[in-house]
Amino acid sequence: MTDCIFCKILQGEIPSKKVYEDELVYAFYDIAPAAPVHVLIIPKEHLCCLNEAEPAHKALLGHILLTAKKLAKDLGVAESGYRIVNNCGENAGQTVFHLHFHLLAGDTFSKLV
Ligand code: 5GP
Ligand code: ZN
């Protein structure tokens, strides 16, 4: 998608601080961290949000969660704990419409649910 910020990051048109990359996903530090550790994990395929995910994306979605687990370990927060957040749509506060999962850690978080 030409006007998508995260697609531009994937194409290297907008710089980002890479944490991890493989054939399916890219992970990078959030530009406005909401916690000491704040990483975004995105699929290389452009999906606006979870609403666009189909059964064909099952492996990709599983891979994203396992990547989050791996990065939590690599970043040294697996034991202390971390939170994975996906905001889907306006009411959830989604601001960038390329599917992404926040990996938040290094702090304690108030519980919404
Ligand atoms: P959302 O609010 O859509 O769930 O999350 C979007 C996230 O993307 C926000 O936490 C915001 O700080 C981050 N973000 C927006 N633009 C950029 C950017 O150009 N670079 C990086 N690294 N993060 C960005
Ligand atoms: Zn995109």
Side-chain angles (χ1 to χ4, degrees):
M1 259 218 161
T2 49
D3 61 345
C4 169
I5 295 174
F6 288 176
C7 281
K8 286 184 177 157
I9 284 177
L10 284 171
Q11 278 144 28
E13 288 171 34
I14 293 176
S16 64
K17 224 172 133 194
K18 176 163 127 177
V19 177
Y20 175 79
E21 179 174 18
D22 63 29
E23 69 282 7
L24 293 176
V25 300
Y26 184 70
F28 55 105
Y29 286 104
D30 197 289
I31 202 167
V37 174
H38 188 171
V39 172
L40 299 171
I41 304 166
I42 68 173
K44 290 190 168 175
E45 176 182 350
H46 178 93
L47 299 171
C48 75
C49 55
L50 207 50
N51 287 341
E52 256 178 31
E54 301 290 346
H57 296 111
K58 202 189 282 187
L60 173 64
L61 293 170
H63 184 66
I64 288 171
L65 277 182
L66 289 173
T67 300
K69 172 199 147 179
K70 173 193 156 39
L71 295 185
K73 185 162 186 262
D74 291 351
L75 294 167
V77 297
E79 294 308 318
S80 52
Y82 54 94
R83 181 170 290 176
I84 307 298
V85 173
N86 170 252
N87 296 317
C88 183
E90 222 173 293
N91 282 3
Q94 185 178 4
T95 57
V96 177
F97 285 81
H98 180 127
L99 179 65
H100 54 278
F101 291 77
H102 300 257
L103 167 58
L104 299 154
D107 210 343
T108 53
F109 304 108
S110 58
K111 286 190 72 176
L112 183 60
V113 285

